[in-house]
Amino acid sequence: MHIQVRTFWLPKAGNSNEDYEDAWCAEDVKRADSNLVRFAVADGATEASFSALWANLLVKAYSSGQVDAASLDNQLPNLQALWLKDVGQKVLPWYAEEKLRSGAFATLLGITFRHAESRSDRGSYVVTAIGDSCFFQIRAGKLSDSFPLCRSEQFSSHPMLLSSLPGNNQFLSETEVQDVGDWETGDVIYLMTDALACWFLAESESGIEDHDIFATIDSQEAFGKFISALRTMKTDRGEPKLKNDDVTLIRCKIQAPL
């Protein structure tokens, strides 16, 4: 399996890179014997304390195979303990201590690729999604799968979020957080945090011909210019085309075996 991976990210307009609260974990896969590969993104909630730390713990745990849809209930306590240990070592003012008691929150989106045992030019994937960070599969330039949201109007200001505090994630037992499908050579997979995912679905609904919108973006600088331009554009209703939020994109191009 050969997957060419490009990751691009940007903080909110007016913020520094240190204020970026999304997280991601991905790298190129070029070994023919790579039969199990994982990538992930997460979106830390701005309103909570130390959400960037929580988001980073989640993506690293998913990408290393510690966490997926089947093991979330069992593994979350370990990650919550790590988060609490880290923030407990920080000296904070009283008002930050008060806010800390509410915990941190983040979405999580991860994909696991497997190739078929009999051939390396096709296989399956499993997507784990909690919240409104989204997975998109592009085949022959067209959108063939979307999860967990498939329409731009499904986004809201109150998405499902994983909490760093024990007892706040009971909803997981009642929520569909997994999608499965097949990939083949030539497919493009996107993982996006919410603002970019909402814009992408709105573009899809407008009838774009080629859904591999980011194919020609080859640098962080080019991505920054692309996002900055989108943030200045308006819809027919006079609203920004792209909400001013942290944005993260992982683009996976599945290429012919080496």
Side-chain angles (χ1 to χ4, degrees):
M1 179 167 26
H2 181 188
I3 305 177
Q4 181 190 59
V5 181
R6 297 301 305 269
T7 302
F8 304 102
W9 60 274
L10 204 67
K12 301 177 184 68
N15 284 12
S16 69
N17 289 345
E18 289 70 28
D19 297 320
Y20 172 77
E21 293 180 305
D22 286 358
W24 55 271
C25 197
E27 61 182 21
D28 272 12
V29 178
K30 298 180 180 179
R31 302 186 309 276
D33 61 347
S34 299
N35 62 354
L36 187 66
V37 180
R38 298 181 175 93
F39 305 130
V41 298
D43 181 359
T46 301
E47 297 78 10
S49 296
F50 299 102
S51 287
L53 171 63
W54 180 233
N56 272 284
L57 285 171
L58 290 171
V59 297
K60 290 176 181 177
Y62 183 91
S63 297
S64 66
Q66 297 176 53
V67 162
D68 57 21
S71 62
L72 266 172
D73 281 340
N74 292 331
Q75 292 301 321
L76 272 177
N78 296 330
L79 297 178
Q80 290 164 338
L82 286 174
W83 178 85
L84 188 60
K85 179 181 179 181
D86 198 314
V87 299
Q89 296 172 350
K90 304 179 185 300
V91 178
L92 301 172
W94 67 267
Y95 53 85
E97 290 278 4
E98 286 291 325
K99 191 175 182 181
L100 191 61
R101 293 191 180 96
S102 299
F105 298 85
T107 67
L108 174 63
L109 174 69
I111 185 167
T112 299
F113 292 98
R114 295 178 184 270
H115 70 59
E117 293 184 4
S118 59
R119 54 195 303 175
S120 58
D121 63 344
R122 63 184 57 187
S124 62
Y125 62 76
V126 179
V127 178
T128 298
I130 299 94
D132 54 6
S133 294
C134 290
F135 150 87
F136 303 108
Q137 181 181 27
I138 314 299
R139 179 168 292 173
K142 301 299 181 184
L143 181 63
S144 63
D145 194 10
S146 173
F147 186 76
L149 307 182
C150 58
R151 299 288 297 178
S152 59
E153 66 264 22
Q154 291 178 293
F155 290 85
S156 73
S157 57
H158 300 288
M160 189 183 306
L161 297 168
L162 284 171
S163 173
S164 64
L165 295 185
N168 284 358
N169 300 304
Q170 299 95 329
F171 65 86
L172 287 173
S173 61
E174 305 171 357
T175 306
E176 178 59 49
V177 299
Q178 184 171 288
D179 183 42
V180 297
D182 297 315
W183 61 262
E184 61 185 44
T185 295
D187 285 356
V188 177
I189 304 295
Y190 291 148
L191 305 181
M192 303 183 197
T193 49
D194 63 327
L196 196 58
C198 183
W199 169 81
F200 177 78
L201 281 173
E203 288 294 292
S204 178
E205 292 155 11
S206 71
I208 57 173
E209 293 186 5
D210 186 356
H211 282 78
D212 193 6
I213 296 174
F214 303 99
T216 60
I217 294 179
D218 60 0
S219 68
Q220 183 71 14
E221 181 182 6
F223 182 73
K225 291 179 178 178
F226 182 87
I227 295 299
S228 295
L230 281 182
R231 286 170 172 167
T232 65
M233 296 179 184
K234 304 291 184 181
T235 67
D236 294 338
R237 299 188 299 274
E239 301 168 348
K241 275 202 167 187
L242 181 69
K243 183 177 71 172
N244 185 22
D245 196 3
D246 296 337
V247 291
T248 304
L249 164 71
I250 298 178
R251 180 183 183 271
C252 307
K253 175 66 180 293
I254 303 176
Q255 300 181 327
L258 296 179

